[in-house]
Amino acid sequence: MLKTRNPFEDVDEKKLCSEEFARKEDGQDELRKLRDEFIVPTKADLKNQKYGPAQLRGNVESERTGDSKDEEDAIYLCGNSLGLQPRRTREYINRYLDTWASKGVYGHFKPLEGGHAPWLHIDDAIKEQTAKIVGALPSEVVVMETLTANLHLLMASFYKPTKDRYKIIIEGKAFPSDHVVCRPLPTRAPQPPPSALITISPPSPSDPYLSAEHILSVISQHAANTALVLLPGIQFYSGQFLDINLITRHCHALGITVGWDLAHAVGNVPLQLHDWNIDFAAWCNYKYMNGGPGVIGGLFVHETHGKVEEAPQSAESETTPAAKNTANPSQELKPEDTIEEGKSLTYRPRLSGWWGSSKSTRFAMSNIFVPIPGASGFQLSNPSALDITSVTASLDVFALTSMAALREKSIRLTAYLEARLLKYPYPYKSSHPSNHKDSEQEHEQEKESEKDIPYSIITPSNPAERGAQLSVLLRPGMLDDVMQILEEEGVVVDERRPDVIRVAPVPLYNSYLDVHRFVGVFQEACWRVGGEGKGLGKAEGGEKGNV
């Protein structure tokens, strides 16, 4: 895969590391005004032990003058875990609450001037915007359930083991939910073997990188017995962006169904799920999608798997007795078609619920399931209108730009973070110095060891193989103390034990100045914790210090 050079690679170090340079980059950023669409907590907000924002300067929160360090915006680089709250979220939710309060059950059905879509149609109202984010047809996506629940539903539909094909291939260090969902499934095979779950692990235990060649080779090795492959679009620990298109084409060439966990990819990198012909995918809407903690998730089913057709008399596939298509002259039904009693339907088997049934029959209470064509036919219960309202607020911010524009900024902003991290301003003696100096070469080696950086970036340096996140591997023993300093200084990142900090400059709301401020605090923390005279996370005297 072709790797582009870091655009900041040749910038003079003093200039690159200056605040002036960061502010200049921000001044040239065409998306900088999107930050105003989000609420960035202050350092005081993060320290406040009471509910709500900190009350500053005479208990009037709005009177922030910048005189106090605590009044500064926090350095929030944790959108890979939980996105910031869009300013319009509160307005949208209040509108929902007002509708519920003033209309009660009528809120399901009555269009209201200045209001949101009626709750009966609220899931359809955001299909078009969701489809743009993931590169799909509106009929191929639906906002429903949560990530793990959607994975269960999709695997129940797409994992069809046979005597010869029963294996499931997943990534060895995939998020635990993927393992939990997949582990028991091979027991459904006609003759379940002891080794039906295959994991793809990096060739080197010290390097998390998974080359496309390695992934394809493992799939090829087990192809004859594999029923399904489930992989992460972006690996949550290392931040590596897998080649979804290439891997999908390889699986299909071998007759293997392939699905994707896109929790860390949706809203982060451009996707073309329809054109890449992937079979299915699921994601959450609270990371880069900014819908709020634990909010409703999303699901994609390619149109080839979402068809609902009139079944010929000899059809052996799953059917339901209840359907005659009177609006569409072809046998394939569309979501808007009117369904009558009559002929049977054929469609992909799934775990079904009443909200996945045609709106024309949904409230007839006939106990007959007439699936909606496309992804919506996989719905179970009516979705949380509150959740979808929150997701809508974020989607309306995304609508102010495009994934292409966000990706362009993200590549550059992440490259700036990478370039800054690689410029470590402190001397750092190796933890394993030579015990003797018998040659000039060994003197030079010791001199170079003093320039060692106490951390390394384990995310691929190729922009095409990463999103916004850089995973930074610290020297052993440093994590707790470094994280403590970052928290005290109003820096929000997350950790993956034992030694990794994940840093995600999100292009929707993060700035070059955020990155500049983060790197300064982070590198000073590394020096204080692991610098000369301190050891790795130890204060003088050998005891863990309060740093």
Side-chain angles (χ1 to χ4, degrees), residues 255-477:
I256 301 172
T257 297
V258 59
W260 293 88
D261 179 341
L262 300 178
H264 289 267
V266 171
N268 180 10
V269 292
L271 301 167
Q272 296 296 327
L273 303 188
H274 175 81
D275 291 345
W276 294 341
N277 201 31
I278 78 166
D279 295 304
F280 67 88
W283 59 89
C284 54
N285 279 312
Y286 50 79
K287 299 180 186 296
Y288 296 97
M289 292 304 297
N290 317 303
V295 79
I296 197 167
L299 176 151
F300 167 92
V301 175
H302 197 277
E303 66 172 346
T304 56
H305 303 297
K307 294 179 180 179
V308 180
E309 299 173 310
E310 291 185 358
Q313 294 297 321
S314 59
E316 298 179 357
S317 57
E318 180 162 330
T319 62
T320 183
K324 184 179 180 182
N325 173 18
T326 60
N328 182 7
S330 68
Q331 285 193 326
E332 184 180 339
L333 304 186
K334 296 182 178 179
E336 65 273 15
D337 286 347
T338 301
I339 309 297
E340 296 180 354
E341 294 286 342
K343 295 183 180 179
S344 296
L345 294 179
T346 179
Y347 56 91
R348 169 171 284 278
R350 76 228 20 210
L351 298 177
S352 306
W354 81 299
W355 207 260
S357 188
S358 170
K359 289 182 181 180
S360 66
T361 61
R362 183 181 291 166
F363 290 94
M365 304 303 169
S366 62
N367 297 328
I368 296 175
F369 180 65
V370 182
I372 302 171
S376 289
F378 284 74
Q379 294 177 107
L380 299 182
S381 302
N382 55 325
S384 165
L386 175 59
D387 277 30
I388 291 186
T389 298
S390 185
V391 172
T392 301
S394 181
L395 285 172
D396 283 353
V397 177
F398 274 95
L400 299 175
T401 182
S402 66
M403 285 306 302
L406 288 171
R407 177 62 168 165
E408 183 179 354
K409 175 181 175 179
S410 181
I411 288 175
R412 187 169 177 84
L413 187 60
T414 304
Y416 175 65
L417 171 62
E418 178 186 48
R420 288 294 309 274
L421 286 171
L422 294 177
K423 304 292 186 183
Y424 190 65
Y426 303 97
Y428 189 90
K429 288 190 175 181
S430 170
S431 57
H432 301 287
S434 174
N435 291 325
H436 52 84
K437 310 176 188 63
D438 295 331
S439 67
E440 182 177 345
Q441 181 180 3
E442 287 177 336
H443 278 289
E444 289 300 315
Q445 288 175 347
E446 184 181 38
K447 184 177 180 181
E448 284 300 312
S449 74
E450 293 182 1
K451 298 179 182 178
D452 284 350
I453 302 176
Y455 54 80
S456 60
I457 301 171
I458 62 174
T459 306
S461 60
N462 184 357
E465 293 184 284
R466 68 187 185 198
Q469 171 187 320
L470 292 185
S471 294
V472 182
L473 177 66
L474 297 172
R475 294 277 176 89

Side-chain angles (χ1 to χ4, degrees), residues 17 419-426 453-455 486 518-529:
C17 298
R420 288 294 309 274
L421 286 171
L422 294 177
K423 304 292 186 183
Y424 190 65
Y426 303 97
I453 302 176
Y455 54 80
L486 293 180
F518 161 74
V519 173
V521 175
F522 172 67
Q523 290 183 332
E524 182 179 353
C526 289
W527 169 244
R528 288 171 59 186
V529 172

